[in-house]
Coordinates of all heavy atoms in Angstrom, one line a residue:
N1 N 12.9 2.6 0.7 CA 11.6 1.8 0.8 C 11.6 0.8 -0.4 O 12.1 1.0 -1.5 CB 10.4 2.6 0.8 CG 10.2 3.3 2.1 OD1 10.6 2.9 3.1 ND2 9.4 4.4 2.1
N2 N 10.8 -0.3 -0.2 CA 10.6 -1.2 -1.2 C 9.1 -1.7 -1.2 O 8.4 -1.5 -0.2 CB 11.6 -2.4 -1.2 CG 11.6 -3.1 0.2 OD1 10.5 -3.6 0.5 ND2 12.6 -3.2 0.9
L3 N 8.8 -2.5 -2.2 CA 7.4 -2.9 -2.3 C 7.0 -4.0 -1.2 O 5.9 -3.8 -0.7 CB 7.2 -3.7 -3.7 CG 5.8 -4.0 -4.0 CD1 4.8 -2.9 -4.0 CD2 5.8 -4.7 -5.4
S4 N 8.0 -4.8 -0.8 CA 7.6 -5.8 0.2 C 7.3 -5.1 1.5 O 6.4 -5.4 2.2 CB 8.8 -6.8 0.5 OG 9.0 -7.5 -0.7
D5 N 8.1 -4.1 1.9 CA 7.9 -3.3 3.1 C 6.6 -2.5 3.0 O 5.9 -2.4 4.0 CB 9.0 -2.3 3.4 CG 10.3 -3.1 3.9 OD1 10.3 -4.3 4.2 OD2 11.4 -2.4 3.8
A6 N 6.4 -1.9 1.8 CA 5.1 -1.2 1.7 C 3.9 -2.1 1.8 O 2.9 -1.6 2.5 CB 5.1 -0.5 0.3
L7 N 3.9 -3.3 1.3 CA 2.8 -4.1 1.5 C 2.6 -4.6 2.9 O 1.5 -4.7 3.4 CB 2.9 -5.3 0.5 CG 2.8 -5.1 -0.9 CD1 3.1 -6.3 -1.7 CD2 1.3 -4.6 -1.2
N8 N 3.7 -4.8 3.6 CA 3.6 -5.2 5.0 C 3.0 -4.0 5.8 O 2.2 -4.2 6.7 CB 5.0 -5.5 5.6 CG 5.5 -6.9 5.1 OD1 4.6 -7.7 4.8 ND2 6.8 -7.1 5.0
D9 N 3.5 -2.8 5.6 CA 2.8 -1.7 6.3 C 1.4 -1.5 6.0 O 0.6 -1.0 6.8 CB 3.7 -0.4 5.9 CG 5.0 -0.3 6.6 OD1 5.2 -1.1 7.5 OD2 5.9 0.5 6.1
Y10 N 1.0 -1.8 4.7 CA -0.3 -1.6 4.2 C -1.3 -2.5 5.0 O -2.4 -2.1 5.3 CB -0.4 -1.9 2.8 CG -1.7 -1.6 2.1 CD1 -2.1 -0.3 1.9 CD2 -2.6 -2.6 1.7 CE1 -3.3 -0.1 1.2 CE2 -3.8 -2.5 1.1 CZ -4.1 -1.1 0.8 OH -5.3 -0.9 0.2
G11 N -0.8 -3.6 5.5 CA -1.7 -4.5 6.2 C -1.6 -4.4 7.8 O -2.3 -5.1 8.4
K12 N -0.8 -3.5 8.2 CA -0.8 -3.2 9.7 C -2.1 -2.6 10.2 O -2.6 -1.6 9.5 CB 0.4 -2.4 10.0 CG 1.7 -3.1 9.9 CD 2.9 -2.2 10.4 CE 4.2 -3.0 10.3 NZ 5.3 -2.1 10.7
P13 N -2.5 -3.0 11.4 CA -3.7 -2.2 12.0 C -3.5 -0.8 12.2 O -2.4 -0.3 12.5 CB -3.9 -2.9 13.3 CG -3.2 -4.3 13.2 CD -2.0 -4.0 12.3
E14 N -4.6 0.0 11.9 CA -4.5 1.5 12.1 C -5.6 1.9 13.1 O -6.7 1.5 12.9 CB -4.7 2.2 10.7 CG -4.7 3.7 10.8 CD -5.0 4.2 9.4 OE1 -5.1 3.5 8.5 OE2 -5.2 5.5 9.4
V15 N -5.2 2.7 14.1 CA -6.2 3.1 15.1 C -6.8 4.3 14.5 O -6.1 5.3 14.1 CB -5.5 3.3 16.4 CG1 -6.6 3.9 17.4 CG2 -4.9 2.1 17.0
I16 N -8.2 4.3 14.5 CA -8.9 5.5 14.0 C -9.9 6.0 15.0 O -10.4 5.2 15.8 CB -9.6 5.2 12.6 CG1 -10.6 4.0 12.8 CG2 -8.6 5.0 11.5 CD1 -11.4 3.9 11.5
D17 N -10.1 7.2 15.1 CA -11.1 7.9 16.0 C -12.1 8.5 15.2 O -11.9 9.1 14.1 CB -10.4 9.0 16.9 CG -9.3 8.5 17.7 OD1 -9.3 7.4 18.2 OD2 -8.3 9.4 17.9
F18 N -13.4 8.3 15.6 CA -14.5 8.9 14.9 C -15.6 9.2 15.8 O -15.7 8.7 17.0 CB -15.0 8.0 13.7 CG -15.5 6.6 14.1 CD1 -16.8 6.4 14.4 CD2 -14.6 5.6 14.3 CE1 -17.3 5.2 14.7 CE2 -15.1 4.3 14.7 CZ -16.5 4.2 14.9
N19 N -16.4 10.1 15.4 CA -17.6 10.6 16.2 C -18.8 9.8 15.9 O -19.3 9.8 14.8 CB -17.8 12.1 16.0 CG -18.8 12.7 17.0 OD1 -19.7 12.1 17.4 ND2 -18.5 13.9 17.4
L20 N -19.4 9.1 16.9 CA -20.6 8.4 16.7 C -21.6 8.9 17.7 O -21.6 8.7 18.9 CB -20.3 6.9 17.0 CG -21.5 5.9 16.8 CD1 -21.9 5.8 15.4 CD2 -21.1 4.5 17.3
K21 N -22.5 9.7 17.1 CA -23.6 10.2 17.8 C -23.2 11.1 19.1 O -23.7 10.8 20.2 CB -24.6 9.1 18.3 CG -25.3 8.4 17.1 CD -26.3 7.4 17.7 CE -26.9 6.7 16.5 NZ -27.9 5.7 16.9
G22 N -22.1 11.8 18.8 CA -21.6 12.7 19.9 C -20.6 12.0 20.8 O -20.0 12.7 21.7
N23 N -20.3 10.8 20.6 CA -19.3 10.0 21.4 C -18.1 9.8 20.6 O -18.2 9.3 19.4 CB -19.9 8.7 21.9 CG -21.0 9.0 22.9 OD1 -20.9 9.9 23.7 ND2 -22.0 8.2 22.7
L24 N -16.9 10.0 21.1 CA -15.6 9.7 20.5 C -15.4 8.2 20.6 O -15.3 7.7 21.7 CB -14.4 10.5 21.0 CG -13.2 10.3 20.3 CD1 -13.2 10.8 18.8 CD2 -12.0 11.1 21.1
V25 N -15.2 7.6 19.5 CA -15.1 6.0 19.5 C -13.7 5.8 18.8 O -13.3 6.3 17.8 CB -16.1 5.4 18.6 CG1 -15.9 3.9 18.6 CG2 -17.5 5.7 19.3
K26 N -13.0 4.9 19.4 CA -11.6 4.4 18.8 C -12.0 3.1 18.2 O -12.7 2.2 18.8 CB -10.6 4.3 19.9 CG -10.0 5.6 20.4 CD -8.8 5.4 21.3 CE -8.3 6.7 21.8 NZ -7.4 7.3 20.8
S27 N -11.3 2.8 17.1 CA -11.5 1.5 16.4 C -10.2 1.1 15.7 O -9.4 2.0 15.5 CB -12.6 1.6 15.4 OG -12.9 0.4 14.8
N28 N -10.1 -0.1 15.4 CA -8.9 -0.6 14.6 C -9.4 -0.8 13.1 O -10.4 -1.5 12.9 CB -8.3 -1.8 15.2 CG -7.6 -1.6 16.4 OD1 -6.9 -0.6 16.6 ND2 -7.7 -2.5 17.4
K29 N -8.6 -0.3 12.2 CA -8.9 -0.6 10.8 C -7.7 -1.4 10.3 O -6.6 -1.1 10.5 CB -8.9 0.8 10.0 CG -9.0 0.7 8.5 CD -9.0 2.0 8.0 CE -8.3 2.0 6.7 NZ -8.3 3.3 6.1
I30 N -8.2 -2.5 9.7 CA -7.1 -3.4 9.1 C -7.5 -3.8 7.7 O -8.7 -4.0 7.4 CB -6.9 -4.7 10.0 CG1 -5.7 -5.5 9.5 CG2 -8.1 -5.5 10.1 CD1 -5.2 -6.4 10.5
I31 N -6.6 -3.9 6.8 CA -6.8 -4.3 5.5 C -6.1 -5.7 5.2 O -5.0 -5.8 5.5 CB -6.2 -3.3 4.5 CG1 -6.9 -1.9 4.7 CG2 -6.3 -3.7 3.0 CD1 -6.4 -0.8 3.9
E32 N -6.9 -6.7 4.8 CA -6.4 -7.9 4.5 C -6.7 -8.4 3.0 O -7.7 -8.0 2.5 CB -7.0 -9.0 5.5 CG -6.7 -8.8 6.9 CD -7.4 -9.8 7.8 OE1 -8.5 -10.2 7.4 OE2 -6.9 -10.2 8.8
F33 N -5.8 -9.2 2.5 CA -6.1 -9.8 1.2 C -6.8 -11.2 1.5 O -6.3 -12.1 2.0 CB -4.8 -10.1 0.5 CG -4.0 -8.9 0.2 CD1 -2.8 -8.6 0.7 CD2 -4.5 -8.0 -0.8 CE1 -2.1 -7.5 0.4 CE2 -3.8 -6.9 -1.1 CZ -2.6 -6.6 -0.6
K34 N -8.1 -11.2 1.1 CA -8.9 -12.5 1.3 C -8.6 -13.5 0.1 O -8.4 -14.7 0.3 CB -10.3 -12.2 1.3 CG -10.8 -11.4 2.5 CD -10.7 -12.2 3.7 CE -11.2 -11.4 4.9 NZ -11.1 -12.1 6.2
A35 N -8.4 -13.0 -1.1 CA -8.1 -13.8 -2.3 C -7.3 -12.9 -3.2 O -7.4 -11.7 -3.2 CB -9.4 -14.2 -2.9
L36 N -6.4 -13.6 -3.9 CA -5.6 -12.9 -4.8 C -5.8 -13.3 -6.3 O -6.1 -14.5 -6.5 CB -4.1 -13.1 -4.4 CG -3.7 -12.4 -3.1 CD1 -2.4 -13.0 -2.6 CD2 -3.7 -11.0 -3.2
P37 N -5.6 -12.4 -7.2 CA -5.8 -12.8 -8.6 C -4.6 -13.5 -9.2 O -3.5 -13.5 -8.6 CB -6.0 -11.4 -9.3 CG -5.1 -10.5 -8.4 CD -5.3 -11.0 -7.0
N38 N -4.8 -14.0 -10.5 CA -3.7 -14.6 -11.2 C -2.7 -13.6 -11.6 O -1.4 -13.8 -11.6 CB -4.2 -15.4 -12.4 CG -5.0 -16.6 -12.0 OD1 -4.8 -17.2 -10.9 ND2 -5.9 -16.9 -12.8
Y39 N -3.2 -12.4 -11.9 CA -2.3 -11.2 -12.4 C -2.5 -10.1 -11.4 O -3.7 -9.7 -11.1 CB -2.7 -10.8 -13.8 CG -2.4 -11.9 -14.8 CD1 -3.4 -12.7 -15.2 CD2 -1.1 -12.1 -15.3 CE1 -3.1 -13.8 -16.1 CE2 -0.8 -13.2 -16.2 CZ -1.9 -14.0 -16.6 OH -1.6 -15.0 -17.5
L40 N -1.4 -9.6 -10.8 CA -1.5 -8.5 -9.8 C -1.0 -7.2 -10.4 O 0.1 -7.1 -10.9 CB -0.7 -8.9 -8.6 CG -0.7 -8.0 -7.4 CD1 -2.1 -7.9 -6.8 CD2 0.2 -8.5 -6.4
I41 N -1.8 -6.2 -10.4 CA -1.4 -4.9 -10.8 C -1.4 -4.0 -9.6 O -2.3 -3.9 -8.8 CB -2.4 -4.3 -11.9 CG1 -2.4 -5.2 -13.1 CG2 -2.0 -2.9 -12.2 CD1 -3.5 -4.8 -14.1
I42 N -0.2 -3.4 -9.3 CA 0.0 -2.5 -8.2 C 0.2 -1.0 -8.7 O 1.1 -0.8 -9.5 CB 1.1 -3.0 -7.3 CG1 0.8 -4.3 -6.8 CG2 1.4 -2.0 -6.2 CD1 1.9 -5.0 -6.0
N43 N -0.6 -0.1 -8.2 CA -0.4 1.3 -8.5 C 0.0 2.0 -7.3 O -0.8 2.0 -6.3 CB -1.8 1.8 -9.1 CG -1.7 3.2 -9.4 OD1 -0.7 3.8 -9.8 ND2 -2.8 4.0 -9.3
L44 N 1.1 2.7 -7.3 CA 1.5 3.4 -6.2 C 1.3 4.9 -6.3 O 1.7 5.5 -7.3 CB 3.1 3.2 -5.9 CG 3.5 1.8 -5.7 CD1 5.0 1.7 -5.6 CD2 2.9 1.2 -4.4
S45 N 0.7 5.5 -5.2 CA 0.5 6.9 -5.3 C 1.7 7.5 -4.7 O 1.9 7.4 -3.5 CB -0.8 7.3 -4.5 OG -0.9 8.7 -4.5
R46 N 2.5 8.2 -5.4 CA 3.7 8.8 -5.0 C 3.7 10.3 -4.7 O 4.5 11.0 -5.1 CB 4.8 8.5 -6.0 CG 5.0 7.0 -6.3 CD 5.9 6.2 -5.5 NE 7.2 6.7 -5.6 CZ 8.2 6.7 -4.7 NH1 7.9 6.1 -3.6 NH2 9.4 7.1 -4.9
F47 N 2.6 10.7 -4.0 CA 2.4 12.1 -3.6 C 2.0 12.1 -2.1 O 1.4 11.3 -1.6 CB 1.2 12.7 -4.5 CG 1.6 12.8 -5.9 CD1 1.3 11.8 -6.8 CD2 2.1 14.0 -6.4 CE1 1.6 12.0 -8.1 CE2 2.4 14.1 -7.7 CZ 2.2 13.1 -8.6
K48 N 2.4 13.2 -1.5 CA 2.1 13.5 -0.2 C 1.3 14.9 -0.2 O 1.7 15.8 -0.8 CB 3.4 13.7 0.7 CG 3.1 14.0 2.2 CD 4.4 14.0 2.9 CE 4.1 14.1 4.4 NZ 5.3 14.2 5.2
Y49 N 0.2 14.7 0.5 CA -0.7 15.9 0.4 C -0.7 16.6 1.8 O -0.7 16.0 2.8 CB -2.2 15.5 0.1 CG -2.3 15.0 -1.3 CD1 -2.2 13.6 -1.6 CD2 -2.5 15.8 -2.4 CE1 -2.3 13.2 -2.9 CE2 -2.6 15.4 -3.7 CZ -2.5 14.0 -3.9 OH -2.6 13.6 -5.2
S50 N -0.7 17.9 1.7 CA -0.6 18.8 2.9 C -1.3 20.1 2.6 O -1.0 20.8 1.7 CB 0.8 19.1 3.4 OG 0.9 19.9 4.5
F51 N -2.4 20.4 3.4 CA -3.2 21.6 3.2 C -3.7 21.7 1.7 O -3.8 22.7 1.1 CB -2.3 22.9 3.5 CG -1.8 22.9 4.9 CD1 -0.5 22.7 5.2 CD2 -2.7 23.1 6.0 CE1 0.0 22.6 6.5 CE2 -2.3 23.1 7.3 CZ -0.9 22.9 7.5
G52 N -4.1 20.5 1.2 CA -4.7 20.5 -0.1 C -3.7 20.5 -1.3 O -4.2 20.5 -2.5
L53 N -2.4 20.6 -1.0 CA -1.4 20.7 -2.0 C -0.7 19.4 -2.1 O -0.4 18.8 -1.1 CB -0.4 21.8 -1.8 CG -1.0 23.2 -1.8 CD1 0.0 24.2 -1.3 CD2 -1.5 23.6 -3.1
G54 N -0.5 18.8 -3.3 CA 0.3 17.6 -3.5 C 1.7 17.8 -3.9 O 2.0 18.6 -4.8
N55 N 2.6 17.1 -3.2 CA 4.0 17.2 -3.5 C 4.5 15.8 -3.9 O 4.2 14.8 -3.2 CB 4.9 17.7 -2.4 CG 4.6 19.1 -2.0 OD1 4.5 19.9 -2.9 ND2 4.4 19.4 -0.7
K56 N 5.2 15.7 -5.0 CA 5.7 14.4 -5.5 C 6.8 13.9 -4.5 O 7.7 14.5 -4.2 CB 6.2 14.5 -6.9 CG 6.7 13.1 -7.4 CD 7.0 13.3 -8.8 CE 7.4 11.9 -9.4 NZ 7.8 11.9 -10.8
I57 N 6.7 12.5 -4.1 CA 7.6 11.9 -3.4 C 8.7 11.4 -4.3 O 8.4 10.6 -5.2 CB 7.1 10.8 -2.5 CG1 6.0 11.3 -1.6 CG2 8.2 10.0 -1.7 CD1 5.2 10.2 -0.8
D58 N 9.9 11.9 -4.2 CA 10.9 11.6 -5.2 C 12.0 10.7 -4.6 O 13.3 11.0 -4.8 CB 11.5 12.9 -5.7 CG 12.1 12.8 -7.1 OD1 11.7 11.9 -7.8 OD2 12.8 13.7 -7.5
K59 N 11.7 9.7 -3.8 CA 12.6 8.8 -3.2 C 12.8 7.5 -4.0 O 11.8 7.1 -4.7 CB 12.3 8.5 -1.7 CG 12.3 9.6 -0.8 CD 11.9 9.2 0.6 CE 12.0 10.3 1.6 NZ 11.5 9.8 2.9
Y60 N 13.9 6.9 -3.9 CA 14.1 5.7 -4.6 C 13.2 4.6 -4.0 O 13.0 4.5 -2.8 CB 15.6 5.2 -4.4 CG 16.0 3.9 -5.0 CD1 16.2 3.7 -6.3 CD2 16.1 2.8 -4.2 CE1 16.6 2.6 -6.9 CE2 16.4 1.6 -4.7 CZ 16.6 1.5 -6.0 OH 17.0 0.2 -6.6
F61 N 12.7 3.8 -4.8 CA 11.8 2.7 -4.4 C 12.1 1.4 -5.2 O 12.1 1.5 -6.4 CB 10.3 3.1 -4.7 CG 9.3 2.3 -4.1 CD1 8.8 2.6 -2.7 CD2 8.6 1.2 -4.6 CE1 7.9 1.9 -2.1 CE2 7.7 0.5 -4.0 CZ 7.4 0.8 -2.7
E62 N 12.3 0.4 -4.5 CA 12.8 -0.9 -5.1 C 11.6 -1.9 -5.4 O 10.8 -2.0 -4.5 CB 13.8 -1.5 -4.2 CG 14.4 -2.7 -4.8 CD 15.6 -3.2 -3.9 OE1 16.5 -2.4 -3.5 OE2 15.5 -4.4 -3.5
F63 N 11.6 -2.4 -6.6 CA 10.6 -3.5 -6.9 C 11.3 -4.8 -7.1 O 12.3 -4.8 -7.9 CB 9.9 -3.1 -8.3 CG 9.0 -1.9 -8.2 CD1 9.6 -0.7 -8.4 CD2 7.7 -1.9 -7.9 CE1 8.9 0.5 -8.4 CE2 7.0 -0.8 -7.9 CZ 7.5 0.4 -8.1
P64 N 10.9 -5.8 -6.4 CA 11.5 -7.1 -6.6 C 11.1 -7.7 -8.0 O 10.0 -7.4 -8.5 CB 11.0 -7.9 -5.4 CG 9.7 -7.4 -5.2 CD 9.8 -5.9 -5.4
L65 N 11.9 -8.6 -8.5 CA 11.6 -9.2 -9.8 C 10.6 -10.3 -9.6 O 9.8 -10.7 -10.4 CB 12.8 -9.8 -10.4 CG 13.9 -8.8 -10.9 CD1 15.0 -9.5 -11.5 CD2 13.2 -7.8 -12.0
E66 N 10.6 -10.9 -8.3 CA 9.6 -11.8 -7.9 C 9.0 -11.4 -6.5 O 9.7 -11.0 -5.7 CB 10.2 -13.2 -7.7 CG 10.6 -13.8 -9.2 CD 11.1 -15.2 -9.2 OE1 11.0 -15.8 -8.0 OE2 11.3 -15.8 -10.2
L67 N 7.7 -11.6 -6.3 CA 7.0 -11.3 -5.1 C 6.1 -12.4 -4.7 O 5.4 -13.0 -5.5 CB 6.2 -10.0 -5.4 CG 5.4 -9.4 -4.3 CD1 6.2 -8.9 -3.1 CD2 4.5 -8.3 -4.8
E68 N 6.1 -12.8 -3.4 CA 5.3 -13.8 -2.9 C 4.3 -13.2 -1.8 O 4.8 -12.6 -0.9 CB 6.1 -14.9 -2.3 CG 5.2 -16.1 -1.8 CD 6.0 -17.3 -1.4 OE1 7.2 -17.4 -1.8 OE2 5.4 -18.1 -0.8
I69 N 3.1 -13.3 -2.0 CA 2.1 -12.9 -1.1 C 1.1 -14.1 -0.8 O 0.5 -14.6 -1.7 CB 1.2 -11.7 -1.7 CG1 2.1 -10.6 -2.2 CG2 0.1 -11.3 -0.6 CD1 1.4 -9.5 -2.9
K70 N 1.0 -14.5 0.4 CA 0.2 -15.6 0.9 C 0.3 -16.8 0.0 O -0.7 -17.3 -0.6 CB -1.3 -15.2 0.9 CG -1.6 -14.3 2.1 CD -3.1 -14.1 2.2 CE -3.4 -13.4 3.6 NZ -4.8 -13.5 4.0
N71 N 1.5 -17.3 -0.3 CA 1.8 -18.4 -1.1 C 1.6 -18.3 -2.6 O 1.5 -19.3 -3.3 CB 1.2 -19.7 -0.6 CG 1.7 -20.0 0.8 OD1 2.9 -19.8 1.1 ND2 0.9 -20.5 1.7
N72 N 1.3 -17.1 -3.0 CA 1.0 -16.8 -4.5 C 2.3 -16.1 -4.9 O 2.7 -15.1 -4.3 CB -0.1 -15.9 -4.7 CG -1.4 -16.6 -4.4 OD1 -1.6 -17.8 -4.6 ND2 -2.4 -15.9 -4.0
K73 N 2.9 -16.6 -6.0 CA 4.1 -16.0 -6.5 C 3.8 -15.2 -7.8 O 3.1 -15.7 -8.7 CB 5.2 -17.1 -6.8 CG 5.6 -17.8 -5.6 CD 6.7 -18.8 -5.9 CE 7.1 -19.5 -4.7 NZ 8.2 -20.4 -4.9
Y74 N 4.4 -14.0 -7.8 CA 4.2 -13.0 -9.0 C 5.6 -12.7 -9.5 O 6.5 -12.5 -8.8 CB 3.4 -11.8 -8.6 CG 2.1 -12.1 -8.0 CD1 1.8 -12.2 -6.7 CD2 1.0 -12.2 -8.9 CE1 0.5 -12.5 -6.2 CE2 -0.3 -12.5 -8.5 CZ -0.6 -12.6 -7.2 OH -1.8 -12.9 -6.7
K75 N 5.6 -12.6 -10.8 CA 6.9 -12.1 -11.5 C 6.6 -10.7 -12.1 O 5.5 -10.5 -12.7 CB 7.3 -13.1 -12.7 CG 7.8 -14.4 -12.1 CD 8.3 -15.2 -13.3 CE 8.8 -16.6 -12.8 NZ 9.2 -17.4 -13.8
L76 N 7.5 -9.9 -11.9 CA 7.4 -8.5 -12.5 C 7.6 -8.6 -14.0 O 8.6 -9.2 -14.5 CB 8.5 -7.6 -12.0 CG 8.5 -6.2 -12.5 CD1 7.3 -5.4 -12.1 CD2 9.7 -5.4 -12.0
I77 N 6.6 -8.1 -14.8 CA 6.7 -8.2 -16.2 C 6.7 -6.8 -16.8 O 6.8 -6.7 -18.1 CB 5.6 -9.1 -16.9 CG1 4.2 -8.5 -16.5 CG2 5.7 -10.5 -16.4 CD1 3.1 -9.2 -17.2
G78 N 6.5 -5.8 -16.0 CA 6.5 -4.4 -16.6 C 6.3 -3.4 -15.5 O 5.9 -3.7 -14.4
A79 N 6.9 -2.2 -15.8 CA 6.7 -1.1 -14.9 C 6.6 0.2 -15.7 O 7.2 0.3 -16.8 CB 7.9 -1.0 -13.9
V80 N 5.8 1.1 -15.2 CA 5.7 2.4 -15.8 C 6.1 3.5 -14.8 O 5.6 3.5 -13.7 CB 4.2 2.7 -16.2 CG1 4.0 4.1 -16.8 CG2 3.7 1.7 -17.3
L81 N 7.1 4.3 -15.1 CA 7.5 5.3 -14.2 C 7.3 6.7 -14.8 O 7.6 7.0 -16.1 CB 9.1 5.1 -14.0 CG 9.6 3.8 -13.4 CD1 11.0 3.6 -13.4 CD2 8.9 3.6 -12.0
H82 N 6.8 7.5 -14.0 CA 6.5 8.9 -14.5 C 7.5 9.8 -13.8 O 7.7 9.7 -12.6 CB 5.1 9.4 -14.2 CG 4.0 8.6 -14.9 ND1 3.7 8.8 -16.2 CD2 3.3 7.5 -14.5 CE1 2.7 8.0 -16.5 NE2 2.5 7.1 -15.5
S83 N 8.1 10.7 -14.6 CA 9.1 11.6 -13.9 C 8.6 13.1 -14.0 O 7.6 13.3 -14.6 CB 10.4 11.5 -14.5 OG 10.4 11.8 -15.9

C-alpha cells in the first residue's frame, strides 16, 4: 500500500446502514476535502481492531516525496515511524 492509494480509498463512498425510529435506512457516507492547508500533516493509524483488541499492522507502506491533492502540491519534509 501507499499514501496515494490510501487517500483515494479514503474518499470513496461507503454504504452505511442505521436504525432510524425502528426503520433500517441505507445511506452513503463520503469524505471530501473542501479546502486544503498550506502545510499538511497526515497521521496514519496502523492498527486493526477486533473484539476490542488492537493488533499492529506491520506491512510496508510507501510515502511519496511529493504529493498532489486537488492541484495542491506537498513535499515530504519529515516522517516519524514507531516500531
Side-chain angles (χ1 to χ4, degrees):
N1 282 338
N2 61 55
L3 184 59
S4 297
D5 289 344
L7 288 172
N8 286 333
D9 288 345
Y10 188 72
K12 286 183 180 176
E14 177 184 356
V15 177
I16 56 173
D17 298 329
F18 60 95
N19 189 325
L20 182 64
K21 296 183 181 178
N23 296 316
L24 184 63
V25 177
K26 287 187 179 282
S27 183
N28 288 322
K29 173 181 148 185
I30 189 164
I31 298 171
E32 295 179 328
F33 296 112
K34 295 287 184 187
L36 292 167
N38 293 331
Y39 297 96
L40 182 65
I41 298 171
I42 297 174
N43 179 30
L44 300 175
S45 179
R46 306 273 293 154
F47 291 90
K48 182 175 183 177
Y49 293 93
S50 179
F51 301 107
L53 300 173
N55 294 316
K56 185 174 181 180
I57 299 171
D58 209 15
K59 292 182 181 177
Y60 177 79
F61 196 85
E62 187 175 304
F63 295 86
L65 295 177
E66 292 187 359
L67 179 66
E68 186 172 340
I69 306 172
K70 288 194 168 189
N71 297 322
N72 292 325
K73 293 183 181 181
Y74 296 96
K75 290 184 180 181
L76 178 64
I77 58 171
V80 176
L81 303 174
H82 297 278
S83 57

